[in-house]
Amino acid sequence: MDISELDKDIFEKIEKIKSHHGKEEAQQIEKAFRYALEAHGDQKRRSGEPYIVHPVETAVILDDLGLDVDSIVAGLLHDCIEDTPATFQIIEKEFGESVANLVEGVTKLGKIVYSSKEEEQMEDLRKMFIAMAKDIRVIIIKLADRLHNARTFQYLPPQKQREKSLETMEIYAPLAHRLGMQNVKWELEDLSLKYLDPVGYAEITGYLDERKVAFNKFLETVQSSILQRLEQAGISCRIKARLKHVYSLYRKMYGQNLTFSEIYDICAVRVIVHDIADCYNVLGLIHDMYRPVPGRFKDYISTPKPNGYQSLHTVVIGREGIPFEVQIRTEDMDQSAEYGIAAHWKYKDGLSGKQKEEAFAWVRQLLESQQDSDAEDFIKNIKVDLFADEVFVFTPKGNVINLPQGAIPIDFAYAIHSAVGNRMTGAKVNGRIVPIDYTLKSGEIVDIITSKTTNGPKRDWLKMVKTAEARNKIKQWFKKECREENIERGRADLERELRTALLYDDFQSEDVQTAVLKRLNFPSLEELYASIGYGGVMVSRVIIKVKEEVTRLNREKHGITKPVVQKPKAVGDTGVIVEGLDNCLVKFAKCCTPIPGDSIVGFITRGYGISIHRTDCPNVLGSMKKEEEAGRWIRTEWDYSEKHKYQTGLRIYTQTRVGILADVITVFSNAKVNVNELSARDDTEGHSILYITVTVSGREQLEFLMNRIRRCPGVVDVKRNINETGSGK
Ligand code: MN
């Protein structure tokens, strides 16, 4: 556009912003201004002004708030991606990644569709803003953008005025409040009230206008009397006097149903002093000067408001009979009250750690996933990832649905209603068909496609959904809709798994069934089947319990109990404790291949350390009878706290049958047990003997395997292998 057409005013504003910053930063600001000017070209605001006025005013607000140069530059460029040919890449190249991210963030926030809702929904919308902003500066820029737009609401058509005002009142003003930015909040509220309740607004402004002169005169007198009194008391202070903003009076009149004469704090005086002690001193002096209204004193210094606001408040009656509010606070408190989170940039050294912490209490409260990071860090890093674990999406009617990160349209459907989920056949996101396992993102509009003829949810949805709510509702459906089918499916699933785990026969025992049902808390086998059928209990979990109970019952039957282990430590990583020695060479005898669970004894060899045998090994019995060897036997035990694997041998007597070897091997491979050696020998009577060496954890496992092998057709007997001829000592 022709620059000469532009109001001089615009250039003065830019120069003023630049004057607040260093040379390099001023150049950045100038560059951004020129860029925006060029990009917006001949675009006009509804007011008829050149478009550039808006970004410049936004930047002025940001500069007043004291924001950093990146934010001001982003403020100047904030409508470029949306309204001009400029792209993220171009802005990133010209102004850096940080600015580009801010501009993009503001653009995204602008795309949130808004419609008025109940308070709960509004809170979710506000959270969505924060969640989508990622960087708190994005919200502040958006607030500045909205503030300037609100200042020019008069140029909008009436319908838009109401819509935008409502949005401002319900989203932007509360956000400003939560971020502690009082002045922005007040102005946004007053500007929107004008269109939301023009009559109420006119009533209050009319009343204030009528009395403006009188009130101002009154405030002037009060101000100078207080100043004088404090000077006498040796307290240095700054006093600000003002009339309360329109919306706060409006809330009192319409919310609390008060008349003007019942509102005590139309006039307000703020006394700003050096330290907290002076705050209380000033309070005493004021109460001495003016009659306090009982019950109107509030100490927000010792108990700050949730957004970190700190101040003493009291209401007193002036000499003219006019009541007024007095706020007393320190300079720091005043700065953070006016600028809130933005005070961090404006007064970098002005806020104490505690004040900062409190000023951002709300934001911190939202930082659920970052509870440990302290306020200092949070502010330093500015980039915030609030609600990293949540997404906020819209229904087509504009309701906000809050879901966990990673949620898919099925979760959304069930969050709306079970009937929607159960009839779901597909989903649209922002008008486009998406897969049902599409990962939802904040701000998206989700539309569930349903059909009355659908047969309910699919079983594999259970594995896809993210929310417990959806999972439960799907399970509920299967539970209710098809009990018979569930029982059949559950029975088949369990039987199949029992067979694979070689537990099918064990499970036929009534003892085992009773024990397992009790462990899993099911009243009957049928209920257990039904539950497996609709996904209420995982079949793998049932198998684990069956295995545990089978082992427990077997052990009880065979009287296998674990020996009490004493303090001594096992030698090396052998899992064996040798009496009196904790550092010696230990090996396991080849003749009897002992494993944990076997009773063992050690033989002190000549030069080969300790050899471990089973106490029932024939070699041990023979050796103990020999005088010269008897004294070399030493007590040993297993250390059951150690988990090792051991090789041991089995001897399997079978009828000679084709395929029997394969059957036996299958037992081991199903149990995931390693077979180390295998040989077979046929005897003369039509029998075979298989010699197998396997790696097991102990006797418990070995016995489990031996029981399995005994059940293979054609197996006559299974024994531990003992090699009587080898000495192995
Ligand atoms: Mn804008």
Side-chain angles (χ1 to χ4, degrees), residues 45 51 54-55 58 75 78-79 83 106 142 145-146 148-149:
R45 296 275 289 171
Y51 198 90
H54 169 65
T58 305
H78 81 267
D79 279 327
D83 297 339
V106 174
K142 192 70 200 162
D145 169 41
R146 175 49 57 100
H148 180 249
N149 282 334

Side-chain angles (χ1 to χ4, degrees), residues 24-68:
E24 248 172 65
E25 297 180 324
Q27 277 170 359
Q28 277 290 100
I29 293 166
E30 177 69 29
K31 184 177 167 192
F33 168 65
R34 295 286 163 184
Y35 185 90
L37 193 62
E38 176 85 10
H40 287 293
D42 287 332
Q43 290 171 7
K44 291 267 189 295
R45 296 275 289 171
R46 278 188 190 264
S47 60
E49 291 176 303
Y51 198 90
I52 191 68
V53 170
H54 169 65
V56 168
E57 290 294 345
T58 305
V60 168
I61 295 167
L62 291 167
D63 187 47
D64 281 348
L65 286 168
L67 259 80
D68 62 342

Side-chain angles (χ1 to χ4, degrees), residues 580-707:
L581 295 169
D582 52 12
N583 190 14
C584 60
L585 187 65
V586 164
K587 54 182 184 167
F588 295 96
K590 288 266 188 289
C591 51
C592 56
T593 54
I595 55 173
D598 292 332
S599 166
I600 48 171
V601 66
F603 182 77
I604 305 164
T605 65
R606 294 184 200 280
Y608 294 102
I610 312 286
S611 174
I612 308 296
H613 292 257
R614 285 159 53 182
T615 48
D616 60 355
C617 174
N619 292 323
V620 173
L621 301 173
S623 163
M624 282 190 175
K625 281 180 194 146
K626 292 180 192 159
E627 219 180 282
E628 72 276 20
E629 285 181 19
R632 290 166 60 189
W633 291 94
I634 186 169
R635 271 182 54 183
T636 56
E637 277 173 5
W638 296 102
D639 181 354
Y640 286 98
S641 65
E642 293 208 24
K643 300 274 175 261
H644 296 291
K645 297 256 182 191
Y646 302 87
Q647 287 192 10
T648 194
L650 291 175
R651 196 182 300 182
I652 304 168
Y653 299 88
T654 69
Q655 288 159 1
T656 307
R657 172 172 80 77
V658 177
I660 196 154
L661 194 61
D663 288 354
V664 170
I665 296 291
T666 305
V667 170
F668 293 104
S669 64
N670 277 343
K672 301 206 164 47
V673 164
N674 229 14
V675 173
N676 307 94
E677 282 174 46
L678 186 141
S679 60
R681 185 162 57 96
D682 290 346
D683 73 4
T684 44
E685 292 142 29
H687 287 93
S688 304
I689 307 174
L690 307 176
Y691 297 94
I692 291 191
T693 308
V694 292
T695 304
V696 292
S697 56
R699 198 141 143 197
E700 217 176 279
Q701 189 183 20
L702 190 68
E703 271 169 14
F704 182 86
L705 293 167
M706 286 165 81
N707 278 333

Side-chain angles (χ1 to χ4, degrees), residues 110 112-115 122 129 146 162-174 192 196:
I112 292 185
V113 219
Y114 165 87
S115 65
M122 300 315 309
F129 255 76
R146 175 49 57 100
R162 279 191 301 275
E163 278 173 23
K164 290 285 165 191
S165 296
L166 196 58
E167 188 182 50
T168 305
M169 193 66 106
E170 291 185 326
I171 302 283
Y172 291 92
S192 345
L196 292 176

Side-chain angles (χ1 to χ4, degrees), residues 92-110:
E92 187 185 24
K93 192 170 153 265
E94 293 292 320
F95 300 96
E97 196 192 349
S98 169
V99 168
N101 280 331
L102 290 172
V103 174
E104 195 186 46
V106 174
T107 309
K108 265 193 200 157
L109 283 192

